[in-house]
Amino acid sequence: LKQVFNKDKTFRPKRKFEPGTQRFELHKRAQASLNSGVDLKAAVQLPNGEDLNDWVAVHVVDFFNRINLIYGTICEFCTEKTCPVMSGGPKYEYRWQDDMKYKKPTALPAPQYMNLLMDWIELQINNESIFPTNVGKSREVLK
C-alpha cells in the first residue's frame, strides 16, 4: 500500500513555476496558506493587488498537478483490460471527442481516455493566449 500512495509518483512530470516570477510567488503563497490549517475560503481568495488571471492560472496548474499525482497512484492498476470503459460508476460513461481524430463521442478504455485528457489539459496550460507566462500579455482567461 505504501507504493500506491507514493507522493513523488505522478502520471506525468509535475508542472513547475519559474522561480523569481510572480506566479512562483503566488504559488508559494497558496501552498503556505493551504498547509497552515487556514480557512479554505480565505486561502483561495485573491490576494490584494494581484491579478485574478494569474491567481486562477496558479490554481489551475496546481489542480492539474494534484490530479496527476492521484492518477499516478492508480494508473498501473487501471489497464485497458481491467478498465475497458471510462466511467463514473454503472450509470455514467465518459466518451472522448476532440473534433480532430475523434469527431464523435467515442468510448475508450480508461487509460487511453486519461492520456488524451491529460494531453489536452497540458495543451491548454501551455497555450500562451490562455495562460501567458509573461506579465502584461493579453489574456483570454476570465474575459
Side-chain angles (χ1 to χ4, degrees):
L1 194 59
K2 188 176 178 183
Q3 73 184 34
V4 171
F5 294 105
N6 179 351
K7 73 175 193 163
D8 295 321
K9 183 179 180 181
T10 61
F11 174 60
R12 294 173 182 248
K14 195 172 183 181
R15 305 276 311 160
K16 300 209 186 273
F17 297 101
E18 190 69 35
T21 65
Q22 184 66 19
R23 286 198 182 157
F24 180 77
E25 295 305 314
L26 287 171
H27 174 70
K28 284 190 340 188
R29 189 182 301 179
Q31 288 302 109
S33 65
L34 289 173
N35 293 330
S36 67
V38 173
D39 173 32
L40 284 180
K41 187 175 181 179
V44 298
Q45 283 184 331
L46 178 67
N48 288 333
E50 298 299 342
D51 182 82
L52 177 60
N53 291 308
D54 287 335
W55 188 240
V56 170
V58 164
H59 288 284
V60 167
V61 172
D62 187 52
F63 184 71
F64 172 78
N65 287 334
R66 290 172 193 271
I67 293 298
N68 187 23
L69 183 65
I70 291 167
Y71 185 65
T73 64
I74 64 162
C75 68
E76 67 187 83
F77 304 105
C78 184
T79 65
E80 290 192 11
K81 192 172 199 164
T82 61
C83 302
V85 175
M86 182 66 186
S87 68
K91 291 185 178 183
Y92 302 98
E93 180 179 326
Y94 298 95
R95 295 176 178 229
W96 186 258
Q97 180 178 357
D98 58 18
D99 295 327
M100 293 166 23
K101 183 176 179 185
Y102 299 92
K103 300 204 185 290
K104 294 182 179 180
T106 306
L108 297 172
Q112 187 178 356
Y113 183 98
M114 286 302 298
N115 273 320
L116 291 167
L117 178 61
M118 297 301 269
D119 286 346
W120 181 85
I121 293 168
E122 278 194 295
L123 282 172
Q124 305 314 301
I125 290 171
N126 292 329
N127 183 336
E128 283 285 323
S129 69
I130 300 172
F131 293 101
T133 54
N134 296 325
V135 175
K137 279 195 166 183
S138 65
R139 296 176 168 91
E140 291 177 12
V141 174
L142 299 180
K143 281 194 175 177

